[in-house]
Amino acid sequence: MKFEVFEYMEKYQFEQLVLCHDQSSGLRAIIAIHNTFLGPALGGTRMWTYQTEDEAILDALRLARGMTYKSAAAGLNLGGGKAVIIGDPRKDKSEELFRAFGRYVESLNGRYITAEDVGTSVQDMGYIFMETKHVTGASTSFGASGDPSPATAFGVWKGMKAAAKEVYGNSSLTGKTVAVQGLGHVGSYLVKHLAEEGAKLIVTDIYEDRVKTVVDEVGATAVDSKDIYGVECDIFAPCALGAVINDETLPQLKCKIIAGSANNVLKEESHGDLLEQKGILYTPDFVINAGGVINVADELQGYNRERAFQRVAGIYENVQKVFEIAKRDKIPTYKAAEVMAEERMNKIARIKRTYLGEHC
Ligand code: NAD
């Protein structure tokens, strides 16, 4: 079936889609701006070998909409946007490609602010920074915030504690068993917070060296990657891929809580309903994994790591609010997270209807 761009934009209320082409650098990029009710649209730039243009456009649109919800739920004054560059991040990167892209970002006059994402790095953000100030996540040597993963992991840890409080009446993770799937950028920091607090860790990754490092450093128990879903634990922390809660994995789960960094954890919304029926508390992904965006957003005021991490710690309260809305509206937590974001966007959009005079 043909993908109808305007139909999709109308259905999900998108504001703008920009196609960027630069002959000399070979740049083919797409910038999607979903919603700017709360402020400029912030979201990373993904570089990927998309098979078709439709696939790239749909990915940019889908990810931009996700950012609107993530920032709104995190209490940030930011809208949702995302960019994709069509190309192979292992072969097609160059200074001129990212600078050409930076010039397109600049042309949007701050309506869109970019950052790192899958396939792009701190160095690439540095090239973009040469052409526009509307970029976050460049090197700390530019006064930027650098790698967002420590902040994401810190936020996941705080959100996990809020979930523990909800289920066990106490936010302490001491003695709790946490099964961590994926020991990459986020997972490797998360296990350190958990170990320091005295949690028992069961870990897995598809790379044996990453598992070995964590086992040696924090004394975790390693399991095969296919066995992680069925282990006896209090909390399952997906920090690898999306769609890991699905028809196949759901019957295996023995945890009481799901709380991790991965995006799009539920394969389908119905899996969120099934988790609720099974008595497993799902901590919605875009609320608990917002530490990275909260951290980069701090750059807009001149980056201060201590202040940024204090804000990230607020994920504890945000997760609690989600649970309150779920109880108030008698809905599963994944829906409550959307309600929380939409309520904030609508309230702020309403106060902005007041005319402030011609110089405002
Ligand atoms: P990463 O690529 O550094 O780490 C992912 C890890 O998962 C890798 O070590 C990989 O080997 C492992 N993995 C892949 N498939 C696996 C499987 N089947 N079983 C076990 N392990 C597997 O990525 P990351 O930056 O740590 O991000 C992890 C997740 O969190 C992703 O879903 C990402 O979208 C999400 N996220 C990350 C950030 C951030 O700040 N990095 C922010 C928000 C959300």
Side-chain angles (χ1 to χ4, degrees):
M1 205 175 69
K2 194 168 165 359
F3 169 51
E4 299 287 349
V5 180
F6 277 113
E7 217 170 87
Y8 189 90
M9 289 179 75
E10 193 183 334
K11 182 172 175 194
Y12 294 109
Q13 300 175 22
F14 280 86
E15 292 180 13
Q16 193 175 8
L17 188 70
V18 186
L19 302 185
C20 317
H21 174 248
D22 179 70
Q23 193 88 25
S24 62
S25 63
L27 176 77
R28 288 196 298 154
I30 296 148
I31 300 172
I33 297 179
H34 175 245
N35 178 301
T36 56
F37 279 11
L38 296 174
L42 186 144
T45 297
R46 182 164 290 196
M47 186 166 184
W48 196 249
T49 48
Y50 294 99
Q51 295 305 307
T52 65
E53 288 170 12
D54 278 1
E55 194 192 320
I57 292 171
L58 187 59
D59 206 28
L61 289 167
R62 200 176 48 83
L63 293 165
R65 183 165 173 263
M67 288 308 297
T68 298
Y69 280 84
K70 185 180 284 201
S71 287
L76 297 169
N77 288 319
L78 290 170
K82 201 89 180 188
V84 304
I85 295 178
I86 301 173
D88 186 337
R90 287 163 305 179
K91 293 198 301 227
D92 300 331
K93 283 189 179 183
S94 64
E95 176 182 348
E96 61 272 24
L97 182 95
F98 284 102
R99 291 184 67 165
F101 176 68
R103 294 176 69 80
Y104 277 101
V105 173
E106 177 66 13
S107 76
L108 291 168
N109 277 318
R111 265 177 62 67
Y112 169 66
I113 301 168
T114 199
E116 255 183 83
D117 197 72
V118 175
T120 58
S121 66
V122 169
Q123 188 190 15
D124 304 331
M125 295 307 116
Y127 291 135
I128 295 172
F129 184 61
M130 291 176 189
E131 302 295 335
T132 181
K133 63 178 185 304
H134 305 300
V135 53
T136 58
S139 161
T140 43
S141 60
F142 293 122
S145 60
D147 177 13
S149 311
T152 303
F154 181 68
V156 170
W157 174 49
K158 292 286 175 188
M160 202 181 265
K161 289 171 74 63
K165 170 97 176 137
E166 184 71 15
V167 171
Y168 302 109
N170 187 329
S171 64
S172 170
L173 299 175
T174 310
K176 294 278 179 289
T177 303
V178 186
V180 182
Q181 177 188 47
L183 303 169
H185 286 95
V186 180
S188 60
Y189 286 104
L190 178 63
V191 289
K192 287 186 186 139
H193 291 298
L194 295 171
E196 267 167 34
E197 205 187 336
K200 294 180 205 144
L201 291 164
I202 301 175
V203 298
T204 194
D205 197 288
I206 47 174
Y207 292 113
E208 272 175 29
D209 55 331
R210 293 187 186 173
V211 175
K212 188 175 178 320
T213 306
V214 169
V215 168
D216 291 349
E217 275 179 15
V218 300
T221 305
V223 294
D224 192 86
S225 60
K226 66 176 184 334
D227 297 331
I228 193 78
Y229 304 103
V231 296
E232 291 283 353
C233 63
D234 296 287
I235 302 165
F236 172 52
C239 298
L241 313 164
V244 291
I245 301 301
N246 53 48
D247 290 342
E248 206 183 302
T249 59
L250 221 140
Q252 301 175 43
L253 298 174
K254 297 197 180 78
C255 57
K256 286 263 168 274
I257 293 169
I258 295 181
S261 74
N263 280 309
N264 306 316
V265 168
L266 305 175
K267 183 162 187 209
E268 311 275 348
E269 289 196 342
S270 59
H271 295 117
D273 302 327
L274 290 169
L275 281 177
E276 204 197 15
Q277 286 163 25
K278 223 172 137 75
I280 298 175
L281 182 67
Y282 172 61
T283 316
D285 45 13
F286 67 81
V287 178
I288 194 169
N289 75 14
V293 72
I294 296 171
N295 189 53
V296 292
D298 194 81
E299 284 184 32
L300 305 177
Q301 293 152 300
Y303 186 61
N304 176 318
R305 191 175 165 89
E306 201 183 320
R307 181 182 61 205
F309 272 64
Q310 259 173 26
R311 287 180 176 162
V312 174
I315 286 178
Y316 184 96
E317 283 79 25
N318 290 345
V319 166
Q320 283 191 316
K321 268 186 228 155
V322 172
F323 297 153
E324 277 161 29
I325 292 172
K327 283 183 265 184
R328 180 195 73 189
D329 296 355
K330 299 187 176 52
I331 51 176
T333 53
Y334 77 88
K335 276 195 192 141
E338 288 173 14
V339 170
M340 181 167 90
E342 282 163 6
E343 280 181 355
R344 177 161 181 260
M345 277 188 281
N346 293 335
K347 280 181 192 159
I348 303 301
R350 277 202 293 275
I351 64 150
K352 289 200 175 173
R353 287 185 304 200
T354 315
Y355 179 60
L356 296 181
E358 60 188 13
H359 297 301
C360 296

